[in-house]
Amino acid sequence: MTTKIFFVLMASLFMGAGHLSQTRWGGLYSLSGWQEVTGLTLTFIGLALLYSVLSSTKKLSQSFCLTALSGFVYYLIALHWIGESLTVDHSTYTWLSVWGSIGITAIFFPWWIGAVLLFKLINIYRRQKTDSDALNPLLFAACWSLADLALSDFFYGIPLGVLGTSITGTVFEPIYAVIGLHGCTFLLVWIAAETASAIREQRCTPFAFISAAVVAACLAIPNSDDHQITPATVKLATVQTNARPPIGPSGEDFNKKSIATNIHAIRTAFDKGVDLVVLPESAFLDDLTAEPELTAEIAQVIPEGRYLLTGSRQYEIHGEIETGLDVRTFNVVHLLDSSGIIWSYRKSHLVLFGEYMPWIFRVLGYDVLGGPPGGLAEGTGLVSVQIGDLPPALITICFEGLLSGPVQRAIGDSQWMLNLSNEALFGTTAGPELVNQYHRIRSMELGTPVVRSVATSFTGVVGATGEQLSMAKAETFAVLVEEVSMSSRNTVFRTLGYLPLYLFLSAVVTFAFVGRKRQSRKIF
């Protein structure tokens, strides 16, 4: 057991280092262009080690403990920046940071436990019907992928620390356009498990060759389809306000200063002849729909036929003072022209603990960590918008752009994606860079440019194939003026989403239950 614990710890350290290796916090940044390949290699080796240990562990109790340890250590490394974000000074660690980093892992690693236990239970059933282990690597990857999808799509909707991100920046990243981020996680786990099995058994099964063929096909498909959606060019400005809400009683002064800075930025951008100006999430802390004078002041600086997209808050108040008021707070994006607000979008996918609290925690008396008491209210879903004569765009707020499945299902005929975010909480941690990486993945999945306006860092434009076309310097005020080409591509993933993956995973699990007894066969 001691040996297994050692190898599990090594596997977790490899995967955690691999996840962070593409950022300047990962320790491999000095390797220049090689850090992406190194990160993928570390992740692959870690997964192979983990599969070797878990597949050779017979007792369910030991499998449970080893998986819990592995998931805990991996997420402690990969998501340590969330704990760092709980302190004002991100350059130093406090006990609050430590306990925050430890506590956040509880959201994630139980899904690893569920995946491995499902794999083990199916294997117990299969042992009654067959003595072949040939299906085990594929079955392990299928169970892992189901847990990955459950965490990122079905339940929490928080796709952080996803192993599939490790192929970003390598020759394999075109696969995103075919099977998406979570499909890449499945493929990575499958091939790592097949490799570990082949080394241990000194033989390859047909499934190992099938997995290699799938990779080859996924790499070939994006190059065989050059069809582009009607190209267009949009001249726009993205604003990085570099505004940090103060901790203390000076909020009113900060709000006045922010309004003046925002209006100055809007005027400066339109003076450069742009069609659209984009400000970050919560650029205006007021409810613009309830502040007609402020809205009119903003509209005055918007030329005829030009548009402004900005983040704000919106409140809905129901009931009477005598009987009690019900106040609902929304995180919104407003589209304005010279006449005022012409369209609004309410954020639909809220951040767990930050903007909403699961019912079990509410029962225990906990409230959200940010926002008003009780949390924010949800909108009705992601939608695209037609901004004047510009191509239709999908609008996302904050971490909504990280959601691979919901974004694909909502993209429709949108030719580009706009993300308004405020990541001031994360400061100089690894968080903003990892969030930007997810938006690069969205562009590759959907074949669309992604335009980001972020409060403190990573404001810029990502091209339709994931290349970073522009980026504002972190921790500075900036107004970036860009001519963005809407040369969108019709990718396989944009059309089919995760439907093929769902069907394939269902087929694997079904086959595991109904497969007939057969002898294992040595290929070579």
Side-chain angles (χ1 to χ4, degrees):
M1 187 64 176
T2 303
T3 303
K4 290 183 177 181
I5 291 174
F6 171 78
F7 281 112
V8 162
L9 286 174
M10 291 299 298
S12 305
L13 291 171
F14 283 160
M15 290 188 288
H19 184 71
L20 293 178
S21 64
Q22 298 182 38
T23 73
R24 62 178 180 271
W25 293 265
L28 301 172
Y29 203 71
S30 59
L31 296 176
S32 185
W34 286 94
Q35 70 264 25
E36 293 92 350
V37 176
T38 306
L40 175 58
T41 303
L42 287 172
T43 303
F44 186 86
I45 294 173
L47 280 170
L49 273 175
L50 185 62
Y51 173 77
S52 295
V53 173
L54 295 178
S55 61
S56 62
T57 302
K58 303 303 180 182
K59 294 182 178 180
L60 277 179
S61 58
Q62 289 186 1
S63 298
F64 178 95
C65 295
L66 290 171
T67 307
L69 176 63
S70 175
F72 171 73
V73 174
Y74 169 73
Y75 282 111
L76 188 63
I77 297 171
L79 304 182
H80 74 280
W81 50 273
I82 296 180
E84 288 183 56
S85 304
L86 298 178
T87 61
V88 177
D89 183 3
H90 297 144
S91 63
T92 60
Y93 253 90
T94 66
W95 279 112
L96 180 62
S97 302
V98 173
W99 289 116
S101 299
I102 292 173
I104 198 68
T105 64
I107 301 176
F108 298 92
F109 76 80
W111 295 100
W112 284 26
I113 296 173
V116 173
L117 290 183
L118 177 62
F119 168 69
K120 289 292 184 179
L121 290 173
I122 293 177
N123 251 315
I124 291 173
Y125 174 81
R126 280 174 50 77
R127 285 295 178 192
Q128 302 173 6
K129 306 181 66 175
T130 178
D131 56 358
S132 173
D133 293 330
L135 188 64
N136 279 357
L138 177 57
L139 182 60
F140 180 81
C143 293
W144 195 284
S145 190
L146 285 171
D148 183 47
L149 287 168
L151 170 63
S152 303
D153 201 12
F154 299 154
F155 296 99
Y156 293 158
I158 304 184
L160 297 177
V162 179
L163 294 171
T165 59
S166 61
I167 73 169
T168 308
T170 70
V171 295
F172 300 105
E173 66 178 13
I175 299 177
Y176 287 132
V178 182
I179 57 178
L181 172 61
H182 302 298
C184 290
T185 297
F186 165 73
L187 203 54
L188 180 63
V189 176
W190 182 17
I191 296 174
E194 291 285 1
T195 302
S197 178
I199 292 173
R200 184 176 62 194
E201 302 294 333
Q202 297 186 342
R203 65 182 177 86
C204 289
T205 67
F207 293 110
F209 297 105
I210 293 173
S211 66
V214 171
V215 172
C218 289
L219 286 172
I221 289 174
N223 297 320
S224 65
D225 183 12
D226 294 328
H227 175 69
Q228 294 185 342
I229 300 173
T230 307
T233 300
V234 176
K235 187 175 183 181
L236 55 81
T238 53
V239 179
Q240 184 170 287
T241 57
N242 198 33
R244 294 179 182 278
I247 299 175
S250 56
E252 185 175 347
D253 293 338
F254 171 82
N255 193 27
K256 290 180 180 179
K257 182 179 178 181
S258 294
I259 291 173
T261 301
N262 291 340
I263 292 177
H264 170 72
I266 295 167
R267 183 180 289 110
T268 300
F270 280 123
D271 286 344
K272 297 181 179 181
V274 301
D275 300 309
L276 173 68
V277 177
V278 186
L279 265 67
E281 171 192 16
S282 301
F284 291 97
L285 300 178
D286 301 275
D287 181 355
L288 296 184
T289 60
E291 298 285 348
E293 293 182 0
L294 175 57
T295 302
E297 183 181 358
I298 298 170
Q300 285 179 356
V301 300
I302 303 176
E304 189 75 27
R306 310 287 178 83
Y307 301 92
L308 168 68
L309 204 63
T310 182
S312 178
R313 283 286 191 262
Q314 192 172 38
Y315 305 98
E316 279 189 0
I317 303 176
H318 303 279
E320 302 292 338
I321 296 179
E322 294 80 7
T323 58
L325 296 175
D326 176 24
V327 180
R328 303 181 72 202
T329 306
F330 296 91
N331 189 348
V332 302
V333 166
H334 293 303
L335 178 65
L336 297 89
D337 64 6
S338 56
S339 66
I341 298 173
I342 58 175
W343 179 83
S344 299
Y345 164 68
R346 294 173 169 177
K347 185 178 181 182
S348 303
H349 301 273
L350 305 180
V351 180
L352 182 71
F353 298 126
E355 294 176 327
Y356 85 95
M357 190 65 68
W359 68 269
I360 185 64
F361 290 93
R362 292 201 306 269
V363 170
L364 295 174
Y366 291 97
D367 204 347
V368 292
L369 301 177
L376 299 181
E378 293 182 353
T380 56
L382 290 170
V383 292
S384 60
V385 59
Q386 183 82 45
I387 305 175
D389 295 329
L390 305 182
L394 180 68
I395 308 296
T396 62
I397 301 176
C398 189
F399 96 115
E400 286 183 317
L402 277 63
L403 302 173
S404 180
V407 168
Q408 182 275 330
R409 293 189 285 270
I411 193 71
D413 60 353
S414 299
Q415 294 186 33
W416 53 316
M417 180 173 151
L418 280 158
N419 176 249
L420 288 73
S421 189
N422 188 329
E423 295 156 18
L425 173 68
F426 302 136
T428 55
T429 69
E433 188 166 354
L434 291 171
V435 170
N436 191 68
Q437 182 189 56
Y438 276 90
H439 284 89
R440 290 187 55 230
I441 294 171
R442 287 300 85 74
S443 72
M444 289 183 272
E445 286 178 338
L446 304 172
T448 61
V450 177
V451 176
R452 303 192 69 217
S453 178
V454 189
T456 56
S457 59
F458 291 94
T459 291
V461 178
V462 179
T465 54
E467 67 277 21
Q468 191 76 48
L469 301 179
S470 65
M471 184 189 298
K473 184 178 180 181
E475 306 292 314
T476 62
F477 175 85
V479 178
L480 291 183
V481 176
E482 296 285 337
E483 290 192 6
V484 182
S485 174
M486 300 292 128
S487 55
S488 301
R489 302 176 296 124
N490 263 329
T491 65
V492 173
F493 180 77
R494 180 186 179 117
T495 303
L496 300 177
Y498 287 117
L499 179 61
L501 181 60
Y502 293 143
L503 294 176
F504 186 75
L505 296 179
S506 301
V508 170
V509 174
T510 301
F511 180 78
F513 277 108
V514 302
R516 293 177 298 176
K517 181 174 182 179
R518 61 174 63 187
Q519 291 293 117
S520 58
R521 182 164 58 97
K522 183 175 290 189
I523 304 301
F524 62 78

